[in-house]
Amino acid sequence: MRWKVNLCAAVLLTAVLITPASALEYTISSPRSGDFGVATSNKTVYVGTENTVNTDRSKNVALIPPGFGTPSSYLPGSGELLTPNLTGNGGVISAIASGTVIYPTVTIAPSTNYPVAACTAVTDDLYYGGGHLGTLKIPALGVSVKVYQGTDTATLAKGAGHFPESSIWDGNVCVAGHNRGINCYFGEIHTLSLGDRITLTTKLGTRTYAVTSVEKVSETDSSMLAATAGNCITLYTCVRDQSAYRWCVRAVEV
């Protein structure tokens, strides 16, 4: 009897082992229309009609819709501009009963009062016989030095150097000089006081300037080299034992 039981068990086990396994089957339906947002790119092909030519469709005219349940919530084109600062009146959009949108406009009146930067380029006729462009004097420091074109080592060994990208007469005249050694012409410019005079003489004439600022700036700060509308002179030199900084003196015409 026992052998019959064992035989039945063996048959059942064999049946289980040889039965093919089947994976679970799933059915996934496609998403309903509207479950996903539409593409944000505007791929519409516009025909050159009167109503579409030169129409701004950028975020500058995008609207933030009005609140739910408000009187204008279902009125086409109502809301506030996404970029209100571009409209000049807070970005409020108004609409009349017919649904016509009225966009606020900004009118910028032309003006001729904007200052225009001045610059006098260095030309061959502005050089003196000795090869220099002019003479710089700082009476408070007892300095009188010739100004040459360029700010390289060889030039500064002769005197002060004129920044080639700056003006030589009208506008901002920028000059560099050593602060130590035998040619230590600018070694004490950081001690100048407001109002101290600086004069520059070139073939175009002589100008007198008054010191308006004395600053220690980063060696990478070139903002004071920018052209200006008014006449001024800007002096640069190194800061002793601080290679990352420069002394910068600005003086304006008086």
Side-chain angles (χ1 to χ4, degrees):
M1 184 68 180
R2 185 178 182 83
W3 66 269
K4 292 181 179 181
V5 173
N6 292 337
L7 179 61
C8 290
V11 171
L12 291 175
L13 179 61
T14 302
V16 171
L17 293 176
I18 66 175
T19 301
S22 59
L24 295 177
E25 296 182 358
Y26 296 92
T27 300
I28 301 176
S29 59
S30 60
R32 296 173 301 170
S33 176
D35 283 352
F36 294 90
V38 297
T40 57
S41 299
N42 187 351
K43 298 181 180 180
T44 305
V45 178
Y46 293 94
V47 180
T49 63
E50 181 180 353
N51 295 329
T52 60
V53 175
N54 296 327
T55 300
D56 188 358
R57 296 183 178 85
S58 69
K59 68 178 181 180
N60 298 341
V61 293
L63 297 177
I64 301 174
F68 178 76
T70 59
S72 59
S73 59
Y74 294 101
L75 191 60
S78 60
E80 296 183 1
L81 284 179
L82 179 63
T83 53
N85 58 308
L86 299 178
T87 67
N89 67 349
V92 178
I93 301 297
S94 60
I96 59 177
S98 64
T100 302
V101 181
I102 303 174
Y103 290 90
T105 59
V106 179
T107 301
I108 301 176
S111 174
T112 58
N113 297 324
Y114 294 110
V116 178
C119 184
T120 303
V122 174
T123 53
D124 292 342
D125 59 313
L126 293 182
Y127 284 92
Y128 287 92
H132 59 288
L133 291 169
T135 301
L136 179 74
K137 294 183 179 182
I138 311 175
L141 302 180
V143 170
S144 178
V145 58
K146 288 182 171 59
V147 180
Y148 296 85
Q149 178 74 325
T151 58
D152 56 275
T153 303
T155 300
L156 296 184
K158 298 185 293 184
H162 170 254
F163 285 86
E165 64 269 30
S166 74
S167 175
I168 191 58
W169 187 242
D170 292 327
N172 184 18
V173 181
C174 300
V175 183
H178 280 314
N179 72 331
R180 64 176 65 190
I182 191 172
N183 294 323
C184 181
Y185 296 109
F186 284 6
E188 301 298 327
I189 64 170
H190 62 286
T191 66
L192 287 170
S193 300
L194 300 184
D196 282 346
R197 296 304 198 252
I198 299 173
T199 63
L200 175 67
T201 299
T202 72
K203 283 193 171 183
L204 296 172
T206 297
R207 276 203 174 120
T208 301
Y209 308 87
V211 174
T212 56
S213 67
V214 179
E215 300 179 276
K216 184 165 71 172
V217 300
S218 169
E219 65 168 339
T220 60
D221 184 357
S222 59
S223 58
M224 296 292 276
L225 294 175
T228 60
N231 296 327
C232 61
I233 192 165
T234 305
L235 310 182
Y236 277 95
T237 193
C238 297
V239 178
R240 289 190 180 98
D241 303 319
Q242 297 183 37
S243 59
Y245 296 96
R246 299 288 184 269
W247 287 115
C248 178
V249 174
R250 169 64 62 84
V252 300
E253 184 183 17
V254 291

